Amino acid sequence: MCERVRGTSVEASARRRGGVLQRVVRAASVAATGAVLLAATVGLAGGAMAQRAEARARGERVATAAAARATALPEERRCAAVESVARAAAPDAVRLVERGVTRCGTPRGGEKFVARAPVGAGVVVEVGTSPGDPWGEASPLMLRLLVVLLVTGGVGVAASWVVARDITADVGAVTAQAERMARGEARALDPVAVRARDEVGALVAAFNRLQERFEEEGALHREALGRLEAEEARKEAMVATLRHELRTPLNAVLGFADLLLSGVDGELSPSQREDVDAIAQAGRHRRRLVDDVFDLSAMANGRFSLHPEGCDLAAVAREVVREAEGVGRSRGVTLALDGPGEAPLRADPVALRRALTNLVLNAVEHAGGHVRVALAPREGGGWTVAVQDNGPGIPAGELRRLFRPFERGRTAEARGAGLGLAITLGLVELHGGTLSAHAGAEGGSTFTVSLPQGEPA
């Protein structure tokens, strides 16, 4: 459901981006065309204003000249002078007006009289131009230029509209196909149509090639994943069978050894009891070794599971120390436990007991006579357990490989398979804790387990 919602939102976002792109391209084309038209309009208006100013100035010169000539003449000769000026100043219209009435001149009708000059009392000479167009006295060439610009701008807007539509359509098709690929719905047999031979078309063609390659790699990945899953299933089945086949005869050996030691088939002589007891101890050791190997493998593959519950870490530590005291007495090692009487924690008590047992027995094996187990609260919640011995210590070069599987002890004479510390580290980390080792400056070593409080039940 979350994937579907996410895919829908991405598709909507892609459509919005496509719409924005289309609007941007269209707006840019319209703005460019508008700028061209505005420049043309300003140019035409400027030209018309310049022509109007020039016509007014010319009219004023003609009016002044006609008035100067007519003023020095008697009234009956003024019209002849004005008409003479009008013929010389063509195509400007010149007329003589007396008290609002035209006495003479060459008006052709519809003129716009833009200049005048006085001749006498109530008598003026007026000069006009021919009728103008809507833009003033703009020339036909400028009008034709305006028409061309309008047509060109319209064509540009239409072309940009079409280009924007094609670009957004191609980009939208590629986006939709990519979203289908992300959802696993698209196939290489569904290429996006290449509709152009420009950069956008090259992009679409490259996307189609990428889709084909993606489909090929996906098929190879699925095939390899299928083989890996089948191999993993065979491996798990083989591990389960092997563990069963190894534990079954060991359990039988231990069962018969315990039966003999119990005296059900008759009492054993001291030497016989010693031999059977050695058989039982060897069998238990081999069973622990088998369990350690398979548990370590399960931890490495993420198949080892814990069963956390409310437990008392102090009680677990006391049991571990009590069981290790027998081994300690046989080696001349004394054990001491320091800490509170209770240490509530949510964890797997069996896994914790196994981890602490490994640490304590490892310390007893390498101790110089004394082992101390200290339990203390951890800052931020939880507990720490420090197992300290007074043995020869740990060489600096061995600290980094101490928790690797099959690394055996601190000396060449160390016994065991070298799995105890590796399993302990795995069990502690599964609880979200840490395990560290520290070598003392004057000998001895300390292994510290730090465990969080754990989630409440």
Side-chain angles (χ1 to χ4, degrees):
M1 181 64 181
C2 293
E3 293 295 333
R4 188 180 303 112
V5 172
R6 189 181 299 113
T8 304
S9 63
V10 172
E11 282 186 2
S13 177
R15 286 195 294 270
R16 287 195 297 270
R17 288 195 298 269
V20 169
L21 175 61
Q22 190 173 16
R23 288 193 294 271
V24 167
V25 174
R26 290 174 179 174
S29 63
V30 171
T33 305
V36 172
L37 294 178
L38 179 61
T41 303
V42 171
L44 289 174
M49 292 175 64
Q51 286 187 354
R52 189 179 298 111
E54 182 182 356
R56 184 180 297 278
R58 184 170 178 272
E60 289 177 352
R61 290 195 300 271
V62 173
T64 302
R69 181 178 298 182
T71 301
L73 297 176
E75 293 183 7
E76 63 273 10
R77 296 180 58 187
R78 288 177 180 172
C79 285
V82 169
E83 291 176 356
S84 175
V85 171
R87 287 192 296 272
D92 293 325
V94 182
R95 65 183 179 181
L96 183 66
V97 179
E98 183 177 356
R99 295 179 180 84
V101 178
T102 301
R103 290 184 57 191
C104 60
T106 59
R108 290 177 293 275
E111 296 87 349
K112 183 178 182 182
F113 291 89
V114 296
R116 58 179 50 84
V119 176
V123 181
V124 295
V125 175
E126 293 182 345
V127 177
T129 61
S130 59
D133 51 59
W135 295 96
E137 286 76 13
S139 65
L141 178 60
M142 297 185 70
L143 291 176
R144 286 195 292 271
L145 177 61
L146 177 60
V147 173
V148 170
L149 288 174
L150 288 174
V151 173
T152 304
V155 173
V157 170
S160 63
W161 195 278
V162 173
V163 170
R165 182 194 61 189
D166 292 343
I167 291 176
T168 53
D170 290 341
V171 172
V174 171
T175 303
Q177 188 74 346
E179 291 298 329
R180 292 180 58 202
M181 290 174 61
R183 295 193 302 269
E185 300 174 359
R187 302 174 302 165
L189 301 178
D190 303 327
V192 180
V194 181
R195 303 190 303 170
R197 296 186 178 181
D198 54 6
E199 289 79 359
V200 177
L203 173 64
V204 175
F207 175 79
N208 288 334
R209 292 193 297 272
L210 176 64
Q211 183 182 353
E212 294 176 359
R213 181 64 180 273
F214 181 81
E215 180 68 21
E216 294 173 359
E217 293 296 330
L220 293 176
H221 173 72
R222 289 189 294 271
E223 181 180 353
L225 185 61
R227 291 198 301 268
L228 182 62
E229 291 177 349
E231 185 66 25
E232 188 68 20
R234 286 194 296 269
K235 178 181 176 181
E236 291 183 1
M238 182 188 70
V239 169
T241 302
L242 182 60
R243 184 168 188 170
H244 175 75
E245 293 297 327
L246 289 174
R247 284 177 59 92
T248 299
L250 285 175
N251 290 333
V253 170
L254 290 175
F256 282 113
D258 292 338
L259 188 64
L260 291 173
L261 291 172
S262 66
V264 174
D265 294 334
E267 290 296 327
L268 301 176
S269 66
S271 60
Q272 290 174 333
R273 179 173 292 276
E274 183 178 351
D275 293 340
V276 174
D277 187 63
I279 293 173
Q281 290 184 8
R284 282 191 289 270
H285 175 71
R286 292 297 180 269
R287 187 170 63 181
R288 284 196 302 270
L289 179 61
V290 170
D291 291 339
D292 288 347
V293 170
F294 286 102
D295 287 344
L296 189 63
S297 175
M299 291 179 189
N301 294 319
R303 296 194 302 269
F304 191 92
S305 59
L306 297 177
H307 303 284
E309 61 184 53
C311 63
D312 185 2
L313 183 60
V316 174
R318 285 193 296 269
E319 292 178 4
V320 171
V321 170
R322 184 169 57 251
E323 291 177 357
E325 285 178 344
V327 180
R329 282 193 298 269
S330 65
R331 294 176 175 272
V333 177
T334 61
L335 288 90
L337 174 63
D338 299 332
E342 292 185 358
L345 188 74
R346 179 166 178 79
D348 187 334
V350 176
L352 288 185
R353 181 172 179 174
R354 183 177 179 185
L356 294 182
T357 299
N358 289 339
L359 291 179
V360 172
L361 292 180
N362 182 70
V364 169
E365 182 178 352
H366 298 92
H370 181 72
V371 173
R372 175 175 175 267
V373 180
L375 181 64
R378 190 182 78 157
E379 183 179 356
W383 298 90
T384 62
V385 182
V387 180
Q388 183 180 14
D389 65 69
N390 62 343
I394 306 173
E398 292 190 9
L399 282 174
R400 282 181 287 181
R401 63 183 183 87
L402 203 58
F403 300 105
R404 298 175 186 171
F406 305 105
E407 292 287 346
R408 297 181 58 188
R410 312 174 203 179
T411 64
E413 293 79 15
R415 295 172 296 174
L419 296 177
L421 291 179
I423 291 177
T424 301
L425 176 62
L427 293 173
V428 171
E429 289 182 342
L430 285 174
H431 281 87
T434 59
L435 173 61
S436 60
H438 174 72
E442 299 179 356
S445 59
T446 303
F447 289 80
T448 304
V449 176
S450 179
L451 295 170
Q453 186 65 39
E455 296 294 332

